[in-house]
Amino acid sequence: MTTPRDDRTEAPPTTPIPVDPAVPVPRDTHDPAVRPEPARPGGGQPGGGQPGKIRRTRISGTWVAVLASVVVLIFLLVFVLQNPTGVTIHFLGFSGTLPLGVALLFGAIAGAVLVGLVGAARIMQLRRQAKRGLH
């Protein structure tokens, strides 16, 4: 009659055991040299996500931005095509006739460019201040 073997006294493995980065490694909290990690938002997982969730990358963020831009452009195209009525525009002594949708689109673009210029000037000002603070 044979009995099943219970080999619990095996030698330790010679190759390192792979560590799953999603599973936190237990630390010895009784050792004064080991400081506990601060709690992370998102359940303590690296990257702040839940276990098994796919991490977001810059490329995925870029694709989301591209898709959002395509949707906005489609809406703008529909807006321009639905407002073909001609209007007379007077600006700095010049005058001309444009479709209403195109005129409003140009106005929106001019406003966005103006906001971008003001924002860029503020960023440059903050960078200069930060440089001066470092030296």
Side-chain angles (χ1 to χ4, degrees), residues 3-56:
T3 59
R5 292 180 47 169
D6 191 12
D7 292 334
R8 294 186 185 188
T9 58
E10 293 180 6
T14 56
T15 59
I17 299 172
V19 177
D20 184 5
V23 178
V25 178
R27 297 178 130 197
D28 185 10
T29 56
H30 300 291
D31 185 0
V34 177
R35 294 186 195 119
E37 287 186 17
R40 293 183 192 166
Q45 296 297 325
Q50 298 296 328
K53 252 189 163 180
I54 298 173
R55 281 185 46 200
R56 293 184 180 173

Side-chain angles (χ1 to χ4, degrees), residues 52-76:
K53 252 189 163 180
I54 298 173
R55 281 185 46 200
R56 293 184 180 173
T57 62
R58 288 183 187 178
I59 297 296
S60 67
T62 302
W63 275 111
V64 169
V66 166
L67 291 175
S69 299
V70 167
V71 169
V72 168
L73 287 175
I74 289 171
F75 279 118
L76 284 173

